[in-house]
Amino acid sequence: MKRLMVSLLFLTLLCVGGQADAQGTGEFEFGMEFANFEYEEPNFMEEEGFFWGFFGNYTHRVMENNRVESWGDIFGSGNAFNVFELDARVMFGEVDYTSNGTGSLDGIDDWLFEIRGVAGYDIPVFENSRITPFFGFAYRYLNDDSGGLRTTTGAAGYEREANYFYMPFGVEWFTPLGSGWSVTATAEFDLFIDGEQKSHLGDAVSGLNTVKNDQDDGKGWRGSIKIAKETERFDFFVEPYVRYWDIEDSEISPITYSGVLVGFGLEPKNDSLESGARVGINF
């Protein structure tokens, strides 16, 4: 499944890149991103901290779809999927860990990388407004590294790596406000396809293996509102957002010590929430 998802993701990115060579219009966005990050495994532990980082995306419109005045126009009048976007971001931060069973630990280094390729279908409505349903493929990686650190109760930390493959399905509403201002609202459901959690237990106890737990069940939601101001050279914008993940228990995997089976482990049900904002320019 992982190999299939990687292939589909790269196929999407190649399609986006191929469309960039076709006739049409393209837009670049880049800027900085700031967010409060919360992660929780209910009844066991939670982490919270501040993330910051950079993002960039390229959007290419192959053509402009015709204005829609009835349901029949949506799939007629020469209209088609006309929007292709590639989006990537990298975030860095520190989180504080608390647990009823293993104490607390501050200043854990985290970093996050995400890349998405999506295709959309512009539906022009009203005067200069448009609704754009979209779908795509995406990959998210989160590294949480407490290796070499100990909690207030003496529990040893270790590095954890989360890998998510998912399909975003959403809708975007764009409308101008006048005097060069515009607003874009986006709502999205993220269909979790496949994931893998790597726990480097050897960081805590030398001789323990790196446990790899497959994750098959989960879902996510996200939403944002982007307010932009057009100028002669650039569009400046700010985009508050919320991103949420709800992941179920993983499959069980063996834990070994120096190659000898000593137990089994899983990645428990967890949820995470990012609430932040992007600030950037569009040209």
Side-chain angles (χ1 to χ4, degrees):
M1 175 62 74
K2 293 183 181 67
R3 291 182 180 179
L4 173 61
M5 288 306 303
V6 170
S7 299
L8 290 174
L9 176 59
F10 276 101
L11 178 61
T12 301
L13 302 186
L14 287 174
C15 290
V16 172
Q19 292 298 334
D21 294 329
Q23 293 183 353
T25 59
E27 293 183 346
F28 288 97
E29 280 186 356
F30 69 90
M32 295 195 69
E33 190 169 333
F34 308 90
N36 184 71
F37 180 81
E38 301 174 46
Y39 172 88
E40 181 182 14
E41 295 174 4
N43 303 316
F44 178 63
M45 60 82 76
E46 60 182 33
E47 291 182 335
E48 182 174 2
F50 179 78
F51 279 22
W52 66 274
F54 304 93
F55 71 91
N57 64 56
Y58 176 75
T59 302
H60 185 79
R61 279 182 164 78
V62 180
M63 63 181 184
E64 293 294 333
N65 281 346
N66 298 314
R67 183 172 176 177
V68 171
E69 298 181 350
S70 68
W71 286 105
D73 293 337
I74 294 178
F75 300 103
S77 304
N79 291 345
F81 278 93
N82 65 318
V83 186
F84 299 89
E85 180 176 317
L86 175 63
D87 179 73
R89 65 175 180 138
V90 60
M91 301 280 283
F92 307 92
E94 288 188 351
V95 296
D96 298 333
Y97 168 97
T98 57
S99 169
N100 292 331
T102 56
S104 61
L105 174 62
D106 293 344
I108 300 171
D109 289 330
D110 277 24
W111 70 277
L112 182 151
F113 171 76
E114 191 167 18
I115 186 167
R116 297 155 51 96
V118 302
Y121 187 110
D122 280 342
I123 305 174
V125 293
F126 307 121
E127 186 67 29
N128 299 321
S129 297
R130 63 174 180 262
I131 299 173
T132 306
F134 62 86
F135 75 98
F137 296 101
Y139 169 71
R140 177 184 181 269
Y141 172 84
L142 175 64
N143 185 291
D144 176 85
D145 191 1
S146 59
L149 305 177
R150 290 188 177 273
T151 70
T152 53
T153 62
Y158 53 90
E159 181 183 10
R160 303 167 70 241
E161 299 177 83
N163 299 270
Y164 293 176
F165 292 95
Y166 67 95
M167 293 184 65
F169 295 90
V171 61
E172 176 185 282
W173 172 282
F174 167 84
T175 188
L177 301 176
S179 301
W181 290 92
S182 65
V183 61
T184 304
T186 304
E188 177 181 307
F189 171 75
D190 294 323
L191 177 64
F192 188 83
I193 301 298
D194 191 40
E196 182 182 68
Q197 183 79 25
K198 295 182 180 179
S199 300
H200 297 262
L201 300 183
D203 292 345
V205 178
S206 180
L208 290 178
N209 65 320
T210 295
V211 178
K212 299 179 181 180
N213 295 108
D214 288 332
Q215 297 168 305
D216 300 320
D217 191 9
K219 53 187 175 295
W221 296 272
R222 63 176 62 190
S224 68
I225 298 177
K226 179 167 69 175
I227 301 173
K229 170 62 175 175
E230 182 179 350
T231 69
E232 292 184 0
R233 298 185 61 185
F234 306 106
D235 292 351
F236 297 90
F237 67 88
V238 59
E239 184 177 8
Y241 67 78
V242 174
R243 297 169 183 156
Y244 176 78
W245 282 105
D246 180 10
I247 308 298
E248 300 299 325
D249 288 346
S250 73
E251 295 181 0
I252 296 174
S253 295
I255 300 174
T256 63
Y257 179 79
S258 298
V260 178
L261 180 67
V262 295
F264 295 89
L266 61 77
E267 180 68 14
K269 172 181 172 60
N270 62 83
D271 55 76
S272 58
L273 174 67
E274 284 183 65
S275 51
R278 286 180 164 185
V279 179
I281 63 173
N282 176 301
F283 62 96

